[in-house]
Amino acid sequence: MSRRAGSSSNFQPGATEMWRASVLSIFPDMFPGPLGMSLAGKALASGAWSLDVADIRGFATDKHRTVDDTPAGGGPGMVMKPDVLGRAIDSIAVDARPRLLMSPRGAPLTQAGVESLAGGAGVVLVCGRFEGVDERVIAARGLEEVSIGDYVLSGGEIAAMALIDACVRLLPGVMGAAASGNEESFADGLLEYPHYTRPQLWEGRAIPDMLTSGDHGKIAAWRRAEAERLTSERRPDLWTAFLRRFRSGSRTG
Ligand code: SAH
């Protein structure tokens, strides 16, 4: 059954079907894990998105249910077998969803990438284990490799959860106004400004006067300046890209 999620006013064209995540893993019991709690969990329970997890081991044919073998050419570790993984992938009907392989070699996941995935029909995610997967299955099944950062996890499951979580919070109706604002980190290429809440004075540290001034124009200007300061200090890569966009934007009008 497919259900519409959220209110119809939030709908974008093509987003009328439930957003679906299909995961392939040798540890299906890890799911939904954290995705079954809090925002993502409530959205899952309410039908804003769906999750199905296939056990790759179920597609092995020997009595030991073998999913890996030694690397051709030698070396340490094991490699996921293309025949077993290929059958597991083929158990998921081909549809409009991208088929992604979680991989430290992949294209780095960005907020723009998350927004694009969240705006589509969903994702099919393959979780690697061991040294990774046989290269032929990546080519034969057209898997796009996606990385969640320049470090190595022991398996793709946590990476898949990170990707799903980032997408689900953007689905219509899941977070309401909070996620739809343009003020979050990365939304306009800047990190987010600092947040404060009561008490006004904590351990001798006060909330900046500006934020309690009630002057919304000045507050917005202060937040923008802080976002720019933090981005230039912490992320020269983002800052350079921001300045480039800003300058080309003002040149072209
Ligand atoms: N030998 C590989 C690492 C394998 S880690 C290499 O050096 O590139 C085992 C699995 O964990 C991978 O197949 C992948 O599915 C997952 N994984 C590890 N780090 C990841 C990352 N940064 N992003 C996404 N998936 C990752």
Side-chain angles (χ1 to χ4, degrees):
M1 185 184 74
S2 82
R3 269 167 61 177
R4 291 172 66 118
S7 71
S8 55
S9 61
N10 282 333
F11 270 90
Q12 293 134 25
T16 49
E17 295 292 314
M18 182 175 6
W19 195 85
R20 295 189 301 128
S22 297
V23 176
L24 294 151
S25 166
I26 61 168
F27 293 112
D29 293 347
M30 286 189 178
F31 293 87
L35 297 173
M37 303 175 82
S38 189
L39 270 175
K42 279 183 201 139
L44 184 59
S46 74
W49 66 290
S50 75
L51 173 67
D52 54 88
V53 187
D55 183 357
I56 295 169
R57 221 173 264 289
F59 297 88
T61 46
D62 63 324
K63 74 169 194 262
H64 300 294
R65 306 213 301 159
T66 307
V67 294
D68 58 324
D69 206 337
T70 53
M78 301 294 274
V79 176
M80 289 179 88
K81 288 162 60 60
D83 48 346
V84 178
L85 189 53
R87 279 193 295 276
I89 294 169
D90 293 343
S91 74
I92 295 173
V94 175
D95 56 26
R97 295 177 295 166
R99 296 167 160 214
L100 311 178
L101 170 66
M102 307 317 298
S103 161
R105 282 188 337 198
L109 185 66
T110 61
Q111 188 63 17
V114 166
E115 282 167 18
S116 155
L117 290 172
V123 286
V124 177
L125 302 179
V126 178
C127 302
R129 278 273 155 183
F130 317 111
E131 290 303 321
V133 312
D134 187 302
E135 193 69 22
R136 292 168 295 177
V137 79
I138 303 176
R141 294 299 179 272
L143 302 180
E144 282 172 60
E145 296 180 62
V146 176
S147 167
I148 66 158
D150 290 342
Y151 41 83
V152 181
L153 303 167
S154 55
E157 289 77 9
I158 290 175
M161 288 176 195
L163 183 150
I164 293 170
D165 181 85
C167 289
V168 163
R169 64 191 287 281
L170 296 182
L171 298 178
V174 171
M175 278 198 66
S180 59
N182 320 317
E183 297 189 354
E184 283 194 311
S185 286
F186 312 118
D188 54 4
L190 295 174
L191 301 179
E192 200 181 42
Y193 53 79
H195 296 290
Y196 299 87
T197 188
R198 282 178 286 269
Q200 160 64 24
L201 192 64
W202 177 73
E203 293 191 351
R205 296 163 189 262
I207 294 176
D209 288 342
M210 180 62 66
L211 296 177
T212 48
S213 68
D215 184 332
H216 296 295
K218 283 191 179 156
I219 291 171
W222 180 87
R223 285 179 166 168
R224 177 68 182 202
E226 283 293 285
E228 293 185 5
R229 179 183 64 79
L230 287 170
T231 308
S232 66
E233 284 174 12
R234 296 182 183 181
R235 292 291 301 272
D237 55 329
L238 293 179
W239 184 239
T240 306
F242 172 80
L243 289 178
R244 202 176 296 130
R245 260 201 321 282
F246 186 74
R247 287 189 191 125
S248 68
S250 49
R251 253 206 312 278
T252 55

